[in-house]
Amino acid sequence: MAAIANKIIITNGGWERSRMDFAFHGSAWDLCMVRFDDGLARALEAAGHRRVLMQGRGPHLVLAHIDPQDPKVYRRPDSGVFVVSLLRLPRPPDNLDGHAHAWIVRTLANLMIVVAGPDDQPAIYVRTPDRTLESIGAPAWSPALYAQLMQHLSMLDVHLVVDNIFDRDLEPELRQGGDALPAMRRAAARLAELGALTSGPPVGDMLAPQELRHLQRLYQGSRMSSGNLSQRHDARRFWMSTSGVDWAQLGTVGRDVELVKGYDPGSRALLISVPPGVRPRRVSSDALTHHLVYRSQPGVGAIAHLHAWFDDVQAVGPDYARGSLERAHVVASLVQEAADPFHAIVGIERHGVIVTGETLDEIVQRVSDRGVLPVPCR
């Protein structure tokens, strides 16, 4: 992060890629993983990607082995590098999804591949930070197995929009959040009661101090939270929650909620107004999705993204990596295709729903009337 005059710029290095260079980090610690690595590398190379050494700037995609007895976390140089953690479990635990989730947080990975069970016929699973464990149904070592894994890996070869450009130009009359902050507080409190919006523990509870510092440097966040809220301010600007916000302590403009004023496609960054004297956090990674919905649907006044589900939801899946231009376009298109885009509920499989409405209060009422369900894992 660099400060220029009255502006703070967060970038991921600005480097472009014409193909996906990949490399393995760490070593396979049993014959099963040696065989798995060989098959996955061949599949990536057959798809036109290039295996490179772990040196210099490094690859776009890092396949990082986890040794549970001696875990060494790969520290990506910036947020534009994708990390896939490879976890070998000869004897999988009863709560495999919870176990995988703890490791994906600890390794700061975008995707985890779990290879569980006996060497000759292990079961293969994938998990992301915001999607539950998914079984790869194809038999171990078969071409179909690697074809399915390549589909998941292709979701990472995207255009990330996680950079923020902060201008300390927020109007004095908006430095307390206007009418948006009370509305977002009311919505957060009620949605939390319904189980549709939660604040997780500080990730420091799961990470070593040096790993937490690395996470904060990359993403300006120190907490896990589910979902996000936004409210339109005017024709081009909207208020939105920040990444890793504590929903029970939603209160400071620039730290918990921010005014998003646009998107710069040249630098692939969200443009945000913040008040002086506050160290800003990165806005939610779904900010570009909200930006596209507000620009294309002038009747939408508020949006809630919830890690929850409802009956009869039109959904897409698998989706692209969060924070990507591709994912934003898919979700915005789904809203546009809804029977009533101004009051839509659309879903991302194994993840949650996006609800549009005139106000956050109206969205909360509709969610309360429908009844919140857990996100289907199948």
Side-chain angles (χ1 to χ4, degrees):
M1 183 167 66
I4 300 178
N6 206 31
K7 181 173 291 189
I8 299 172
I9 301 177
I10 299 175
T11 69
N12 67 6
W15 50 304
E16 298 292 336
R17 315 170 189 92
S18 59
R19 57 183 167 184
M20 192 159 63
D21 289 352
F22 71 95
F24 287 88
H25 177 262
S27 301
W29 54 275
D30 71 356
L31 292 176
C32 178
M33 287 308 294
V34 170
R35 185 176 182 183
F36 179 83
D37 286 2
D38 288 344
L40 187 56
R42 286 196 300 270
L44 283 163
E45 290 172 333
H49 305 302
R50 181 178 64 174
R51 187 170 184 173
V52 298
L53 298 176
M54 291 293 301
Q55 63 184 17
R57 185 79 192 161
H60 175 203
L61 173 66
V62 175
L63 305 159
H65 283 282
I66 301 170
D67 182 348
Q69 304 304 316
D70 184 25
K72 291 183 174 64
V73 174
Y74 171 74
R75 296 188 180 184
R76 73 191 82 197
D78 55 59
S79 58
V81 176
F82 288 101
V83 177
V84 176
S85 289
L86 305 176
L87 179 62
R88 172 74 177 119
L89 296 172
R91 298 177 183 82
D94 292 336
N95 183 11
L96 184 56
D97 182 70
H99 188 80
H101 179 249
W103 275 109
I104 201 170
V105 171
R106 184 172 182 183
T107 57
L108 311 179
N110 304 96
L111 178 75
M112 170 168 284
I113 300 176
V114 181
V115 182
D119 288 355
D120 56 343
Q121 286 296 319
I124 313 296
Y125 304 87
V126 296
R127 201 196 197 286
T128 71
D130 56 357
R131 287 168 67 95
T132 55
L133 204 69
E134 180 177 346
S135 174
I136 302 296
W141 321 127
S142 67
L145 167 71
Y146 293 107
Q148 290 183 37
L149 287 175
M150 286 299 298
Q151 289 181 345
H152 286 277
L153 292 176
S154 69
M155 299 296 106
L156 301 180
D157 192 17
V158 294
H159 300 85
L160 279 181
V161 182
V162 295
D163 294 347
N164 290 181
I165 298 177
F166 297 99
D167 285 312
R168 298 195 182 279
D169 62 353
L170 187 64
E171 298 98 309
E173 64 271 21
L174 297 179
R175 291 175 185 174
Q176 300 302 316
D179 61 357
L181 187 54
M184 294 175 80
R185 284 174 175 159
R186 289 194 305 271
R190 179 58 180 145
L191 291 169
E193 289 177 2
L194 295 171
L197 203 64
T198 61
S199 299
V203 293
D205 294 351
M206 304 178 73
L207 298 178
Q210 66 271 21
E211 295 164 357
L212 178 60
R213 289 193 296 271
H214 184 60
L215 176 69
Q216 291 171 327
R217 179 180 67 81
L218 286 174
Y219 301 109
Q220 292 73 54
S222 59
R223 177 180 293 273
M224 292 182 295
S225 61
S226 68
N228 46 69
L229 301 174
S230 71
Q231 177 173 301
R232 184 191 290 275
H233 178 69
D234 54 30
R236 64 183 181 86
R237 298 184 292 177
F238 61 94
W239 294 94
M240 189 166 189
S241 54
T242 57
S243 180
V245 69
D246 182 355
W247 294 112
Q249 302 293 327
L250 196 65
T252 301
V253 174
R255 184 194 69 191
D256 304 321
V257 299
E258 291 172 338
L259 188 64
V260 180
K261 61 179 179 177
Y263 166 62
D264 178 13
S267 59
R268 227 179 273 160
L270 277 306
L271 309 177
I272 300 170
S273 294
V274 296
V278 176
R279 180 176 176 83
R281 288 181 184 161
R282 191 184 300 273
V283 76
S284 171
S285 59
D286 289 320
L288 184 60
T289 299
H290 292 230
H291 169 77
L292 292 179
V293 172
Y294 283 127
R295 291 293 298 272
S296 62
Q297 306 299 330
V300 172
I303 302 171
H305 169 43
L306 310 174
H307 289 192
W309 207 253
F310 307 100
D311 289 327
D312 304 320
V313 171
Q314 182 182 3
V316 295
D319 64 303
Y320 293 94
R322 64 180 178 179
S324 67
L325 180 64
E326 289 80 357
R327 181 173 185 173
H329 276 295
V330 167
V331 175
S333 296
L334 202 59
V335 170
Q336 182 170 313
E337 294 164 4
D340 181 2
F342 301 163
H343 305 86
I345 301 180
V346 300
I348 300 173
E349 291 178 4
R350 307 173 67 89
H351 177 58
V353 295
I354 294 88
V355 188
T356 65
E358 299 170 38
T359 66
L360 283 171
D361 289 334
E362 180 250 319
I363 286 175
V364 170
Q365 186 60 55
R366 284 162 51 211
V367 169
S368 301
D369 292 343
R370 293 195 63 154
V372 172
L373 301 173
V375 178
C377 295
R378 293 291 186 271

